[in-house]
PDB file of all heavy atoms in Angstrom:
ATOM      1  N   VAL J1622       0.946  -3.729 -10.689  1.00  0.00           N
ATOM      2  CA  VAL J1622       0.902  -2.426 -10.119  1.00  0.00           C
ATOM      3  C   VAL J1622      -0.522  -2.180  -9.565  1.00  0.00           C
ATOM      4  O   VAL J1622      -0.725  -1.656  -8.491  1.00  0.00           O
ATOM      5  CB  VAL J1622       1.275  -1.292 -11.198  1.00  0.00           C
ATOM      6  CG1 VAL J1622       1.064   0.109 -10.498  1.00  0.00           C
ATOM      7  CG2 VAL J1622       2.663  -1.517 -11.625  1.00  0.00           C
ATOM      8  N   ILE J1625      -1.070  -3.971  -6.309  1.00  0.00           N
ATOM      9  CA  ILE J1625      -0.401  -3.362  -5.151  1.00  0.00           C
ATOM     10  C   ILE J1625      -1.134  -2.082  -4.796  1.00  0.00           C
ATOM     11  O   ILE J1625      -1.370  -1.696  -3.618  1.00  0.00           O
ATOM     12  CB  ILE J1625       1.072  -2.981  -5.564  1.00  0.00           C
ATOM     13  CG1 ILE J1625       1.882  -4.281  -5.774  1.00  0.00           C
ATOM     14  CG2 ILE J1625       1.808  -2.110  -4.473  1.00  0.00           C
ATOM     15  CD1 ILE J1625       3.194  -4.072  -6.445  1.00  0.00           C
ATOM     16  N   LEU J1629      -2.742  -0.822  -1.311  1.00  0.00           N
ATOM     17  CA  LEU J1629      -2.211   0.426  -0.676  1.00  0.00           C
ATOM     18  C   LEU J1629      -3.306   1.427  -0.421  1.00  0.00           C
ATOM     19  O   LEU J1629      -3.434   1.995   0.667  1.00  0.00           O
ATOM     20  CB  LEU J1629      -1.249   1.136  -1.523  1.00  0.00           C
ATOM     21  CG  LEU J1629       0.216   0.570  -1.573  1.00  0.00           C
ATOM     22  CD1 LEU J1629       1.043   1.335  -2.638  1.00  0.00           C
ATOM     23  CD2 LEU J1629       0.870   0.793  -0.212  1.00  0.00           C
ATOM     24  N   MET J1658       4.691  -8.112  -4.468  1.00  0.00           N
ATOM     25  CA  MET J1658       6.072  -7.485  -5.002  1.00  0.00           C
ATOM     26  C   MET J1658       7.016  -8.585  -5.256  1.00  0.00           C
ATOM     27  O   MET J1658       7.867  -8.544  -6.164  1.00  0.00           O
ATOM     28  CB  MET J1658       6.548  -6.514  -3.989  1.00  0.00           C
ATOM     29  CG  MET J1658       5.708  -5.199  -3.973  1.00  0.00           C
ATOM     30  SD  MET J1658       6.326  -3.960  -2.893  1.00  0.00           S
ATOM     31  CE  MET J1658       7.990  -3.955  -3.296  1.00  0.00           C
ATOM     32  N   PHE J1723       0.799   7.159  -7.862  1.00  0.00           N
ATOM     33  CA  PHE J1723       0.818   6.783  -6.441  1.00  0.00           C
ATOM     34  C   PHE J1723       2.057   7.349  -5.740  1.00  0.00           C
ATOM     35  O   PHE J1723       1.906   7.974  -4.677  1.00  0.00           O
ATOM     36  CB  PHE J1723       0.754   5.226  -6.261  1.00  0.00           C
ATOM     37  CG  PHE J1723      -0.281   4.854  -5.269  1.00  0.00           C
ATOM     38  CD1 PHE J1723      -1.297   4.054  -5.577  1.00  0.00           C
ATOM     39  CD2 PHE J1723      -0.183   5.306  -3.866  1.00  0.00           C
ATOM     40  CE1 PHE J1723      -2.322   3.766  -4.680  1.00  0.00           C
ATOM     41  CE2 PHE J1723      -1.153   4.965  -2.910  1.00  0.00           C
ATOM     42  CZ  PHE J1723      -2.177   4.206  -3.298  1.00  0.00           C
ATOM     43  N   PRO J1724       3.295   7.259  -6.327  1.00  0.00           N
ATOM     44  CA  PRO J1724       4.456   7.872  -5.580  1.00  0.00           C
ATOM     45  C   PRO J1724       4.291   9.396  -5.502  1.00  0.00           C
ATOM     46  O   PRO J1724       4.689   9.963  -4.525  1.00  0.00           O
ATOM     47  CB  PRO J1724       5.669   7.456  -6.471  1.00  0.00           C
ATOM     48  CG  PRO J1724       5.139   6.300  -7.277  1.00  0.00           C
ATOM     49  CD  PRO J1724       3.788   6.512  -7.583  1.00  0.00           C
ATOM     50  N   MET J1727       2.104  10.056  -2.678  1.00  0.00           N
ATOM     51  CA  MET J1727       2.762   9.827  -1.406  1.00  0.00           C
ATOM     52  C   MET J1727       3.707  11.001  -1.127  1.00  0.00           C
ATOM     53  O   MET J1727       3.756  11.478   0.076  1.00  0.00           O
ATOM     54  CB  MET J1727       3.572   8.569  -1.513  1.00  0.00           C
ATOM     55  CG  MET J1727       2.814   7.307  -1.349  1.00  0.00           C
ATOM     56  SD  MET J1727       3.867   5.838  -1.537  1.00  0.00           S
ATOM     57  CE  MET J1727       2.719   4.529  -1.560  1.00  0.00           C
ATOM     58  N   MET J1741       4.468   1.973   6.291  1.00  0.00           N
ATOM     59  CA  MET J1741       4.748   1.328   5.056  1.00  0.00           C
ATOM     60  C   MET J1741       6.196   1.161   4.854  1.00  0.00           C
ATOM     61  O   MET J1741       6.669   0.055   4.437  1.00  0.00           O
ATOM     62  CB  MET J1741       4.052   2.098   3.882  1.00  0.00           C
ATOM     63  CG  MET J1741       4.416   1.570   2.532  1.00  0.00           C
ATOM     64  SD  MET J1741       4.031   2.669   1.169  1.00  0.00           S
ATOM     65  CE  MET J1741       5.585   3.729   1.208  1.00  0.00           C
ATOM     66  N   PHE J1746       8.795  -1.951   3.098  1.00  0.00           N
ATOM     67  CA  PHE J1746      10.041  -1.720   2.381  1.00  0.00           C
ATOM     68  C   PHE J1746      11.341  -1.957   3.255  1.00  0.00           C
ATOM     69  O   PHE J1746      12.428  -1.591   2.812  1.00  0.00           O
ATOM     70  CB  PHE J1746      10.009  -0.402   1.728  1.00  0.00           C
ATOM     71  CG  PHE J1746       9.028  -0.354   0.558  1.00  0.00           C
ATOM     72  CD1 PHE J1746       7.709   0.152   0.808  1.00  0.00           C
ATOM     73  CD2 PHE J1746       9.314  -0.880  -0.698  1.00  0.00           C
ATOM     74  CE1 PHE J1746       6.799   0.219  -0.143  1.00  0.00           C
ATOM     75  CE2 PHE J1746       8.318  -0.870  -1.709  1.00  0.00           C
ATOM     76  CZ  PHE J1746       7.070  -0.330  -1.427  1.00  0.00           C
ATOM     77  N   GLU J1760      12.157   7.726   2.672  1.00  0.00           N
ATOM     78  CA  GLU J1760      13.019   6.560   2.075  1.00  0.00           C
ATOM     79  C   GLU J1760      12.109   5.478   1.639  1.00  0.00           C
ATOM     80  O   GLU J1760      12.409   4.791   0.594  1.00  0.00           O
ATOM     81  CB  GLU J1760      13.930   5.999   3.247  1.00  0.00           C
ATOM     82  CG  GLU J1760      14.741   4.842   2.892  1.00  0.00           C
ATOM     83  CD  GLU J1760      15.720   5.005   1.715  1.00  0.00           C
ATOM     84  OE1 GLU J1760      16.022   6.199   1.282  1.00  0.00           O
ATOM     85  OE2 GLU J1760      15.991   3.961   1.137  1.00  0.00           O
ATOM     86  N   GLY J1761      10.944   5.174   2.299  1.00  0.00           N
ATOM     87  CA  GLY J1761      10.013   4.141   1.841  1.00  0.00           C
ATOM     88  C   GLY J1761       9.458   4.515   0.450  1.00  0.00           C
ATOM     89  O   GLY J1761       9.326   3.614  -0.375  1.00  0.00           O
ATOM     90  N   ILE J1762       9.108   5.788   0.242  1.00  0.00           N
ATOM     91  CA  ILE J1762       8.606   6.179  -1.090  1.00  0.00           C
ATOM     92  C   ILE J1762       9.693   5.963  -2.171  1.00  0.00           C
ATOM     93  O   ILE J1762       9.434   5.485  -3.275  1.00  0.00           O
ATOM     94  CB  ILE J1762       8.212   7.701  -1.052  1.00  0.00           C
ATOM     95  CG1 ILE J1762       7.128   7.879   0.012  1.00  0.00           C
ATOM     96  CG2 ILE J1762       7.624   8.060  -2.422  1.00  0.00           C
ATOM     97  CD1 ILE J1762       6.754   9.363   0.261  1.00  0.00           C
ATOM     98  N   GLU J1763      10.949   6.217  -1.777  1.00  0.00           N
ATOM     99  CA  GLU J1763      12.096   6.083  -2.712  1.00  0.00           C
ATOM    100  C   GLU J1763      12.188   4.618  -3.150  1.00  0.00           C
ATOM    101  O   GLU J1763      12.342   4.239  -4.260  1.00  0.00           O
ATOM    102  CB  GLU J1763      13.394   6.634  -2.073  1.00  0.00           C
ATOM    103  CG  GLU J1763      14.423   6.940  -3.070  1.00  0.00           C
ATOM    104  CD  GLU J1763      13.940   7.504  -4.352  1.00  0.00           C
ATOM    105  OE1 GLU J1763      13.165   8.560  -4.347  1.00  0.00           O
ATOM    106  OE2 GLU J1763      14.296   6.937  -5.396  1.00  0.00           O
ATOM    107  N   ARG J1764      12.078   3.716  -2.094  1.00  0.00           N
ATOM    108  CA  ARG J1764      12.134   2.236  -2.379  1.00  0.00           C
ATOM    109  C   ARG J1764      11.008   1.790  -3.211  1.00  0.00           C
ATOM    110  O   ARG J1764      11.177   0.883  -4.032  1.00  0.00           O
ATOM    111  CB  ARG J1764      12.273   1.440  -1.108  1.00  0.00           C
ATOM    112  CG  ARG J1764      13.598   1.738  -0.430  1.00  0.00           C
ATOM    113  CD  ARG J1764      13.836   0.818   0.691  1.00  0.00           C
ATOM    114  NE  ARG J1764      15.037   1.325   1.435  1.00  0.00           N
ATOM    115  CZ  ARG J1764      15.570   0.658   2.441  1.00  0.00           C
ATOM    116  NH1 ARG J1764      15.173  -0.485   2.911  1.00  0.00           N
ATOM    117  NH2 ARG J1764      16.640   1.301   3.083  1.00  0.00           N
ATOM    118  N   PHE J1765       9.811   2.362  -3.067  1.00  0.00           N
ATOM    119  CA  PHE J1765       8.594   2.014  -3.869  1.00  0.00           C
ATOM    120  C   PHE J1765       8.922   2.359  -5.312  1.00  0.00           C
ATOM    121  O   PHE J1765       8.702   1.638  -6.177  1.00  0.00           O
ATOM    122  CB  PHE J1765       7.432   2.717  -3.299  1.00  0.00           C
ATOM    123  CG  PHE J1765       6.105   2.410  -4.046  1.00  0.00           C
ATOM    124  CD1 PHE J1765       5.846   1.160  -4.605  1.00  0.00           C
ATOM    125  CD2 PHE J1765       5.086   3.435  -4.201  1.00  0.00           C
ATOM    126  CE1 PHE J1765       4.731   0.813  -5.296  1.00  0.00           C
ATOM    127  CE2 PHE J1765       3.901   3.023  -4.869  1.00  0.00           C
ATOM    128  CZ  PHE J1765       3.728   1.797  -5.438  1.00  0.00           C
ATOM    129  N   ARG J1766       9.465   3.607  -5.489  1.00  0.00           N
ATOM    130  CA  ARG J1766       9.835   3.983  -6.823  1.00  0.00           C
ATOM    131  C   ARG J1766      10.843   3.081  -7.510  1.00  0.00           C
ATOM    132  O   ARG J1766      10.787   2.694  -8.650  1.00  0.00           O
ATOM    133  CB  ARG J1766      10.444   5.444  -6.919  1.00  0.00           C
ATOM    134  CG  ARG J1766       9.376   6.552  -6.834  1.00  0.00           C
ATOM    135  CD  ARG J1766      10.014   7.798  -7.416  1.00  0.00           C
ATOM    136  NE  ARG J1766       8.919   8.840  -7.645  1.00  0.00           N
ATOM    137  CZ  ARG J1766       8.375   9.635  -6.803  1.00  0.00           C
ATOM    138  NH1 ARG J1766       8.902   9.597  -5.543  1.00  0.00           N
ATOM    139  NH2 ARG J1766       7.471  10.496  -7.129  1.00  0.00           N
ATOM    140  N   LYS J1767      11.787   2.642  -6.604  1.00  0.00           N
ATOM    141  CA  LYS J1767      12.895   1.723  -7.114  1.00  0.00           C
ATOM    142  C   LYS J1767      12.248   0.460  -7.610  1.00  0.00           C
ATOM    143  O   LYS J1767      12.605  -0.128  -8.638  1.00  0.00           O
ATOM    144  CB  LYS J1767      13.836   1.540  -5.939  1.00  0.00           C
ATOM    145  CG  LYS J1767      15.213   0.972  -6.455  1.00  0.00           C
ATOM    146  CD  LYS J1767      16.183   1.186  -5.344  1.00  0.00           C
ATOM    147  CE  LYS J1767      17.281   0.046  -5.382  1.00  0.00           C
ATOM    148  NZ  LYS J1767      17.972  -0.245  -4.208  1.00  0.00           N
ATOM    149  N   TYR J1768      11.304   0.007  -6.846  1.00  0.00           N
ATOM    150  CA  TYR J1768      10.624  -1.261  -7.215  1.00  0.00           C
ATOM    151  C   TYR J1768       9.839  -1.155  -8.564  1.00  0.00           C
ATOM    152  O   TYR J1768      10.085  -2.022  -9.515  1.00  0.00           O
ATOM    153  CB  TYR J1768       9.626  -1.751  -6.177  1.00  0.00           C
ATOM    154  CG  TYR J1768       8.842  -2.973  -6.586  1.00  0.00           C
ATOM    155  CD1 TYR J1768       9.342  -4.199  -6.429  1.00  0.00           C
ATOM    156  CD2 TYR J1768       7.612  -2.850  -7.139  1.00  0.00           C
ATOM    157  CE1 TYR J1768       8.780  -5.368  -6.904  1.00  0.00           C
ATOM    158  CE2 TYR J1768       6.861  -4.047  -7.597  1.00  0.00           C
ATOM    159  CZ  TYR J1768       7.491  -5.229  -7.467  1.00  0.00           C
ATOM    160  OH  TYR J1768       6.841  -6.338  -7.891  1.00  0.00           O
ATOM    161  N   LEU J1769       9.213  -0.010  -8.723  1.00  0.00           N
ATOM    162  CA  LEU J1769       8.501   0.274  -9.917  1.00  0.00           C
ATOM    163  C   LEU J1769       9.408   0.358 -11.122  1.00  0.00           C
ATOM    164  O   LEU J1769       9.110  -0.098 -12.251  1.00  0.00           O
ATOM    165  CB  LEU J1769       7.569   1.539  -9.736  1.00  0.00           C
ATOM    166  CG  LEU J1769       6.410   1.433  -8.825  1.00  0.00           C
ATOM    167  CD1 LEU J1769       5.838   2.810  -8.568  1.00  0.00           C
ATOM    168  CD2 LEU J1769       5.287   0.491  -9.315  1.00  0.00           C
ATOM    169  N   ARG J1770      10.545   1.028 -10.883  1.00  0.00           N
ATOM    170  CA  ARG J1770      11.578   1.101 -11.906  1.00  0.00           C
ATOM    171  C   ARG J1770      12.017  -0.299 -12.324  1.00  0.00           C
ATOM    172  O   ARG J1770      12.196  -0.543 -13.504  1.00  0.00           O
ATOM    173  CB  ARG J1770      12.806   1.952 -11.481  1.00  0.00           C
ATOM    174  CG  ARG J1770      13.209   2.970 -12.419  1.00  0.00           C
ATOM    175  CD  ARG J1770      14.256   3.897 -11.736  1.00  0.00           C
ATOM    176  NE  ARG J1770      13.762   5.041 -11.082  1.00  0.00           N
ATOM    177  CZ  ARG J1770      14.185   5.366  -9.857  1.00  0.00           C
ATOM    178  NH1 ARG J1770      15.016   4.624  -9.181  1.00  0.00           N
ATOM    179  NH2 ARG J1770      13.607   6.365  -9.223  1.00  0.00           N
ATOM    180  N   LEU J1776       7.041   6.218 -14.458  1.00  0.00           N
ATOM    181  CA  LEU J1776       7.098   6.985 -13.219  1.00  0.00           C
ATOM    182  C   LEU J1776       6.639   8.445 -13.545  1.00  0.00           C
ATOM    183  O   LEU J1776       6.369   9.148 -12.584  1.00  0.00           O
ATOM    184  CB  LEU J1776       8.478   7.051 -12.599  1.00  0.00           C
ATOM    185  CG  LEU J1776       8.916   5.680 -12.000  1.00  0.00           C
ATOM    186  CD1 LEU J1776      10.387   5.702 -11.486  1.00  0.00           C
ATOM    187  CD2 LEU J1776       8.045   5.261 -10.795  1.00  0.00           C
TER     188      LEU J1776
END
Side-chain angles (χ1 to χ4, degrees):
V1622 176
I1625 295 170
L1629 283 175
M1658 286 181 52
F1723 231 119
M1727 286 178 184
M1741 173 195 85
F1746 292 97
E1760 176 58 23
I1762 302 171
E1763 202 35 55
R1764 291 192 190 183
F1765 183 34
R1766 278 203 166 86
K1767 199 165 150 204
Y1768 177 81
L1769 294 171
R1770 226 174 274 129
L1776 292 175

